[in-house]
Amino acid sequence: MPNQQLLRSNITPAPISSVTELITNRQAAGAPTLSFEFFPPKDEAGEASLWRTFDDVLEAKADFVSVTYGAGGSNSARTLSIVEHMAPQITTVGHLTAVGATRAGTGEIIRRFEAAGVKSLLAIRGDAPKDNPNALADGDLGTALELVELAHEVSALEVGVGAFPEVHPESPDMAHDSKVLALKQAAGASFAITQLFFSLDAYLALRNSADAAGATLPIVPGLMPINNAKQVIRMAAMSGASIPAELLGQLESADEAEARRIGMQFTIDLGVKLLDVGAPGLHIFTLNQSVAALELARGVGLCP
Ligand SMILES: Cc1cc2nc3c(=O)[nH]c(=O)nc-3n(C[C@H](O)[C@H](O)[C@H](O)COP(=O)(O)OP(=O)(O)OC[C@H]3O[C@@H](n4cnc5c(N)ncnc54)[C@H](O)[C@@H]3O)c2cc1C
């Protein structure tokens, strides 16, 4: 049994507080945090799956959850109504994007997140949609850093940011990303969650580079369970994450069931290694489905 299971076996559900407090408290007890990401679904079936998964996540004594936000604010009302329901039950992080947004409109959304009981914002730039490549120039906020600054100006919410173990696709190198991360920390960001990635070395390189740049905030790995190999291969390509060649070969040559077995085992092994090197917790991307997300959480020993 992995050590974390021993440490979390008697754990009681965490009180609703900031993510940083949760990380600090768990660390004091020698245990990592367990958290999950959701997205606003498009239809009724998706809605049912979201809430089933949320119930399962509560049962697994997760520490916090986060809910994504459509770049450009396309689904802001749905994100807000979901966080309103989650926030009284568990520490809830609302993602918020900068792309195409005005300062006044964003300030208003931040106040609505606050009124909904959200404890933290994940301040993210967002990407320009394919049909409007100039969207970044349309708004008042060009980068996530400006969003971190605005959030601190207009609210008392805790602010987290994204981090990129495989280097942000627009960055020249990891040192550049790390300088930006340090600027976000200086502007008040107190934790980071990573983009999906598939290599322990990539996480370690990010952590070393962030340290060297003075970005000392906790960096929680974001982990995508490889439940549906074809879907994950597509998502990895879209986000610029590389799947190790050997794993990719195995996933592509196996049938669906075998690819799932190989993929889930790989993700569990990666999660265990990340915890072994002292990652502050794991943030599991659920895609609003609980089976694979909880299989991963159990596999790494973070829930019974
Ligand atoms: C954990 C996580 C959650 C996410 N959730 C969402 C979501 O809910 N909705 C969504 O639409 N997208 C989401 N994304 C995707 C995100 O919008 C994209 O990855 C986007 O391309 C980058 O966002 P960012 O916050 O890192 O941007 P930024 O920090 O603005 O960085 C973008 C690029 O600009 C450079 N840069 C930024 N500031 C400076 C500066 N001051 N000087 C020089 N260069 C700079 C960076 O190095 C980088 O190359 C998420 C990503 C992560 C990691």
Side-chain angles (χ1 to χ4, degrees):
M1 178 169 31
N3 291 341
Q4 283 76 24
Q5 186 159 334
L6 287 171
L7 292 164
R8 282 189 61 102
S9 57
N10 294 323
I11 230 156
T12 48
I16 293 173
S17 60
S18 69
V19 169
T20 336
E21 273 177 281
L22 289 167
I23 291 174
T24 308
N25 292 344
R26 289 294 187 227
Q27 267 172 348
T33 55
L34 171 64
S35 56
F36 295 88
E37 181 189 280
F38 295 88
F39 70 89
K42 288 197 169 64
D43 54 30
E44 264 178 41
E47 187 91 8
S49 179
L50 162 74
W51 294 117
R52 266 197 312 275
T53 305
F54 179 63
D55 286 344
D56 291 345
V57 156
L58 289 180
E59 184 126 342
K61 298 180 189 161
D63 293 299
F64 66 93
V65 294
S66 80
V67 183
T68 65
Y69 187 90
S74 51
N75 57 1
S76 66
R78 280 186 293 148
T79 299
L80 277 158
S81 82
I82 292 167
V83 298
E84 231 162 46
H85 184 78
M86 290 179 168
Q89 304 180 67
I90 184 168
T91 297
T92 302
V93 179
H95 296 208
L96 182 58
T97 60
V99 61
T102 62
R103 290 177 65 83
T106 306
E108 181 50 34
I109 299 276
I110 292 172
R111 276 184 284 276
R112 289 174 64 192
F113 269 125
E114 220 168 6
V118 157
K119 287 288 165 199
S120 312
L121 296 171
L122 193 72
I124 293 288
R125 187 195 68 184
D127 292 314
K130 283 201 186 80
D131 59 355
N132 184 9
N134 296 322
L136 269 172
D138 292 347
D140 297 339
L141 302 160
T143 63
L145 176 61
E146 290 165 57
L147 186 53
V148 175
E149 289 164 348
L150 177 66
H152 273 286
E153 239 174 82
V154 303
S155 83
L157 290 174
E158 178 190 41
V159 180
V161 292
F164 295 83
E166 306 243 28
V167 183
H168 185 268
E170 294 161 36
S171 288
D173 52 35
M174 187 170 273
H176 177 90
D177 273 351
S178 296
K179 279 186 208 147
V180 173
L181 193 58
L183 289 174
K184 291 176 184 175
Q185 179 176 313
S190 57
F191 70 95
I193 299 178
T194 75
Q195 183 58 284
L196 60 94
F197 66 102
F198 303 95
S199 141
L200 175 69
D201 286 348
Y203 177 75
L204 290 174
L206 167 66
R207 215 167 56 178
N208 290 339
S209 168
D211 273 351
T216 50
L217 72 188
I219 302 176
V220 181
L223 269 194
M224 177 66 74
I226 305 180
N227 174 48
N228 173 335
K230 283 193 181 129
Q231 182 188 32
V232 174
I233 291 169
R234 261 198 321 274
M235 292 170 89
M238 274 163 56
S239 68
S242 55
I243 299 183
E246 192 186 342
L247 174 64
L248 185 61
Q250 289 173 344
L251 294 175
E252 285 179 335
S253 59
D255 65 29
E256 207 177 304
E258 180 61 1
R260 182 185 193 280
R261 193 195 61 73
I262 293 168
M264 287 303 296
Q265 193 55 56
F266 178 89
T267 328
I268 289 168
D269 290 346
L270 177 59
V272 168
K273 287 180 203 155
L274 286 163
L275 295 175
D276 281 349
V277 298
L282 296 181
H283 193 61
I284 298 178
F285 303 124
T286 66
L287 301 178
N288 296 349
Q289 305 279 339
S290 64
V291 175
L294 290 178
E295 194 175 321
L296 171 56
R298 272 194 299 274
V300 298
L302 290 185
C303 73

